[in-house]
Amino acid sequence: MIDFHCHLDLYPDARRLAARVASRNRFTLVVTTGPRAWQATSRVFAGHESIRVALGLHPEITEQKVSERELLISCVCQTELIGEVGLDGSVQYRHTREQQEAILEAVLTESERCGGKILSVHSRNAAGPVLDYVERLCRNSVPVLHWFSGTMEETRRAVAMGCWFSVGPAMLRGAKGRRILEELPTARVLPETDGPFAMNGSSPYMPWEAISIAPTVAATWNVTAEEVRQQFLNNLSHLLDT
Ligand SMILES: [Zn+2]
């Protein structure tokens, strides 16, 4: 089916796994944690048309990758898909907050300068500030908020701003995630796993398991699981056509 946010390069034996993912998924977005990883991962998965690799710099590892900032910005115009980028407001990353913000600002600015990009955006414990950046800097770009966990007010603000959302089984396990889902417009939701970081018990979610959210989404939207699958496919083609 679709996995709009996974770290396929970080699974064991990723090269072999990619062939299975390509045969089972219509579309897989591999987000990367740094521009050098983007370059290498793009080469590794180049033979699979349904696997697209997004250019990113993960906010959680800003400290290790800050030297790749210029490379990141210089690559933005070469790709349509950006991710994982964003802010992480958790205590353990507070010391890199200034750098995180500088990188996000630069990526969003460059994305607009290059005509607008689709961005998979991380906003854990920083939903409000991420939305402030999006509001100020995104005109033609389309932010897809991955595993959004803001307040209901922030959720409604993100919806009103035109953001998209990628939603996974781990997010919908909690009551808060399901409550957020109720607020989202059906036309701007896509499935994701965030694997291998998101775990299904003791093993990571596999990219073809993103669609396991269909029954929960169907119950929320009051439609059938098949209608949810069709909606996701329609959403994906709208997003990639914009
Ligand atoms: Zn991720």
Side-chain angles (χ1 to χ4, degrees):
M1 228 291 181
I2 299 166
D3 184 349
F4 204 77
H5 182 113
C6 71
H7 299 265
L8 186 55
D9 55 328
L10 302 181
Y11 287 83
D13 206 1
R15 208 181 282 260
R16 265 240 298 273
L17 180 60
R20 282 175 74 198
V21 170
S23 74
R24 297 186 67 158
N25 269 7
R26 189 88 62 101
F27 183 93
T28 303
L29 184 65
V30 180
V31 292
T32 55
T33 54
R36 272 191 231 287
W38 172 71
Q39 291 171 328
T41 305
S42 299
R43 281 193 293 273
V44 171
F45 298 147
H48 302 291
E49 225 174 275
S50 66
I51 299 178
R52 303 277 298 274
V53 183
L55 167 72
L57 201 156
H58 200 299
E60 285 175 19
I61 51 167
T62 299
E63 195 164 24
Q64 296 94 298
K65 305 253 172 147
V66 71
S67 66
E68 296 185 34
R69 178 185 152 167
E70 295 314 313
L71 177 63
L72 172 78
I73 302 309
S74 73
C75 292
V76 167
C77 286
Q78 301 168 31
T79 181
E80 290 309 306
L81 296 158
I82 308 287
E84 176 162 6
V85 294
L87 302 177
D88 194 305
S90 310
V91 192
Q92 64 266 43
Y93 308 118
R94 199 165 282 166
H95 63 294
T96 64
R97 183 55 176 263
E98 233 173 90
Q99 290 171 333
Q100 291 183 40
E101 297 210 19
I103 290 168
L104 181 62
E105 169 141 14
V107 168
L108 294 178
T109 303
E110 183 68 357
S111 293
E112 284 301 314
R113 199 185 67 78
C114 300
K117 303 291 171 188
I118 297 165
L119 304 103
S120 186
V121 180
H122 177 112
S123 58
R124 183 168 51 208
N125 295 322
V130 164
L131 294 178
D132 291 342
Y133 277 100
V134 166
E135 189 167 57
R136 185 157 62 84
L137 297 171
C138 291
R139 293 291 171 268
N140 297 308
S141 291
V142 182
V144 182
L145 302 173
H146 120 81
W147 199 333
F148 190 73
S149 57
T151 63
M152 285 308 123
E153 200 184 330
E154 287 161 342
T155 305
R156 285 189 277 267
R157 181 181 171 209
V159 169
M161 283 164 56
C163 294
W164 285 58
F165 301 83
S166 56
V167 170
M171 170 175 165
L172 296 186
R173 255 200 315 261
K176 185 182 178 189
R178 293 195 297 273
R179 180 71 190 87
I180 287 173
L181 174 67
E182 290 172 12
E183 299 290 330
L184 308 184
T186 57
R188 283 190 259 139
V189 177
L190 289 167
E192 68 159 45
T193 58
D194 203 19
F197 298 120
M199 303 289 283
N200 184 11
S202 58
S203 47
Y205 279 105
M206 303 308 275
W208 52 83
E209 293 177 319
I211 196 57
S212 67
I213 65 170
T216 307
V217 176
T220 307
W221 291 352
N222 210 12
V223 297
T224 65
E226 187 44 45
E227 285 169 316
V228 169
R229 297 168 70 93
Q230 195 53 53
Q231 181 76 53
F232 287 155
L233 290 171
N234 293 346
N235 292 353
L236 180 70
S237 42
H238 284 150
L239 180 64
L240 298 181
D241 282 349
T242 50

